[in-house]
């Protein structure tokens, strides 16, 4: 009896000592961080990184090229905002060609009115919130070089590709200013995340992509002021995810449902991309899982 009881006491003492040692070294406190379960997402591709240092936190076919839909417009905005001596209050007259284009493509639009004068800043909101392909066309026409509209658009797309190369992106190519490509408009979750991270260094871009709703006042042909219908941001994470700060949705027959997302919590920013998810609701669910995972990894 005594021997058995003594053995039990010795075992109990050993367990207590072990537990004490674990507490002393912080092993118990560290365990939850190691036990973070890698999430499963519906999207075919995904990537998440720590925005502070570019360290990868999650990858799923992160370097597989896919159609990007309107997430392309992140680069459109970045190219505009990187123009030398940019005047955000410069006015652009809306041409019939922009309106005809969105109608012919059945594209998402900011419902810009032909003949109205709209500032570059307003066009950027129209580009990023309702994902206006008319706004994208207007910006490409304004900031491309050439004597014809077609030449200016091609010049602008050239600037998008030059910028991608300058960021060291080998799996990205643009053949459109809005994501309605002609077969060779593609990127990857990793590359799109890097484009967004770079764009987020611009304060105007940061302000725009975290805005939930914006109402533009434009100047009509007759010189009067038109109050446009409010533009609502298509990125639902801004309302559903605490700390969300952007960035851009995308969709299309080939692209399916895409989302480039970012959030800041406790001074840490996680940024990432999901490509080819199954619905607008699912892409937000995928992004939420990846943001939660990213923050858990960062501790």
């Amino acid at each position: 009896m005594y021997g058995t009881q003594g053995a039990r006491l010795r075992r109990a003492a050993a367990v207590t000592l072990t537990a004490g040692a674990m507490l002393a070294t912080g092993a118990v406190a560290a365990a939850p961080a190691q036990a973070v379960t890698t999430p499963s997402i519906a999207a075919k591709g995904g990537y998440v990184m720590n925005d502070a240092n570019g360290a990868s936190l999650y990858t799923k076919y992160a370097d597989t090229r896919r159609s990007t839909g309107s997430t392309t417009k992140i680069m459109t905005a970045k190219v505009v905002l990187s123009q030398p001596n940019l005047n955000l209050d410069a006015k652009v007259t809306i041409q019939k060609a922009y309106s005809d284009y969105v109608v012919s493509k059945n594209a998402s639009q900011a419902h810009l009115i032909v003949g109205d004068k709209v500032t570059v800043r307003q066009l950027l909101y129209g580009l990023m919130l309702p994902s206006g392909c008319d706004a994208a066309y207007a910006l490409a026409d304004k900031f491309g070089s050439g004597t014809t509209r077609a030449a200016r658009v091609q010049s602008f797309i050239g600037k998008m590709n030059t910028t991608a190369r300058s960021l060291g992106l080998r799996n990205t190519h643009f053949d459109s200013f809005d994501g309605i490509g002609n077969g060779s408009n593609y990127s990857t979750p990793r590359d799109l995340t890097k484009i967004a991270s770079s764009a987020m260094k611009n304060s105007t871009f940061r302000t725009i992509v975290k805005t939930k709703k914006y109402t533009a006042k434009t100047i009509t042909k007759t010189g009067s002021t038109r109050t446009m219908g409010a533009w609502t941001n298509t990125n639902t994470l801004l309302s559903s995810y605490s700390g969300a700060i952007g960035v851009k949705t995308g969709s299309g027959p080939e692209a399916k449902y895409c989302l480039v997302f970012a959030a800041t919590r406790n001074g840490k920013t996680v940024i990432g991309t999901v490509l080819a998810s199954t619905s607008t609701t699912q892409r937000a669910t995928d992004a939420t899982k990846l943001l939660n995972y990213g923050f858990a990894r960062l501790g």
Side-chain angles (χ1 to χ4, degrees):
M1 275 298 285
Y2 180 81
T4 308
Q5 194 174 1
R8 281 193 193 128
L9 285 168
R10 284 196 295 275
R11 278 201 301 273
V15 168
T16 306
L17 278 168
T18 306
M22 284 176 74
L23 283 168
T25 59
V28 171
Q34 294 161 357
V36 178
T37 306
T38 306
S40 171
I41 59 170
K44 288 182 179 173
Y47 181 75
V48 177
M49 75 179 192
N50 177 358
D51 195 48
N53 59 12
S56 298
L57 299 171
Y58 173 93
T59 59
K60 177 182 178 180
Y61 298 110
D63 300 306
T64 300
R65 296 174 178 183
R66 297 188 187 281
S67 176
T68 56
S70 286
T71 61
T72 297
K73 290 168 181 150
I74 297 168
M75 182 62 96
T76 309
K78 179 173 168 57
V79 168
V80 171
L81 288 165
S82 63
Q83 294 305 298
N85 307 312
L86 177 67
N87 177 8
L88 288 167
D89 297 316
K91 291 184 173 61
V92 176
T93 303
I94 302 306
Q95 306 295 317
K96 187 172 181 291
Y98 314 156
S99 179
D100 289 348
Y101 171 79
V102 290
V103 170
S104 70
K105 299 287 186 183
N106 192 27
S108 55
Q109 57 174 305
H111 298 283
L112 300 170
I113 311 291
V114 176
D116 277 13
K117 289 183 170 60
V118 184
T119 68
V120 172
R121 187 191 313 274
Q122 290 167 336
L123 286 172
L124 286 166
Y125 275 96
L127 173 78
M128 299 303 284
L129 272 64
S131 201
C133 295
D134 45 356
Y137 198 163
L139 289 165
D141 193 7
K142 165 78 173 170
F143 292 102
S145 310
T147 53
T148 65
R149 185 172 292 124
R152 290 190 292 274
V153 165
Q154 283 310 308
S155 159
F156 186 86
I157 295 167
K159 290 181 184 184
M160 293 169 71
N161 286 313
T162 299
T163 304
R165 285 193 296 274
S166 75
L167 291 171
L169 308 180
R170 294 192 183 89
N171 290 308
T172 296
H173 183 266
F174 300 105
D175 69 357
S176 72
F177 48 73
D178 57 4
I180 302 176
N182 300 300
S184 57
N185 200 93
Y186 57 79
S187 189
T188 67
R190 190 191 306 268
D191 280 10
L192 272 173
T193 303
K194 288 181 177 178
I195 293 167
S197 178
S198 174
M200 289 290 269
K201 290 179 171 62
N202 181 284
S203 60
T204 302
F205 184 89
R206 284 199 307 275
T207 299
I208 291 169
V209 296
K210 72 179 179 186
T211 301
K212 293 179 188 177
K213 197 165 279 199
Y214 181 87
T215 302
K217 292 185 186 300
T218 61
I219 307 300
T220 68
K221 284 180 193 172
T222 58
S224 63
T225 302
R226 183 197 310 279
T227 302
M228 296 286 288
W231 291 324
T232 302
N233 201 318
T234 54
N235 180 10
T236 58
L237 285 188
L238 294 173
S239 297
S240 67
Y241 195 86
S242 174
I245 55 171
V247 177
K248 184 76 187 73
T249 61
S251 60
E254 191 184 353
K256 304 306 179 194
Y257 299 91
C258 312
L259 181 56
V260 181
F261 51 87
T264 300
R265 288 182 176 178
N266 302 319
K268 295 171 182 175
T269 299
V270 170
I271 188 164
T273 300
V274 289
L275 293 182
S277 194
T278 52
S279 69
T280 53
T281 308
Q282 188 60 48
R283 71 183 172 196
T285 302
D286 287 347
T288 298
K289 284 182 182 179
L290 295 187
L291 282 167
N292 288 340
Y293 179 71
F295 284 119
R297 285 282 310 273
L298 292 182

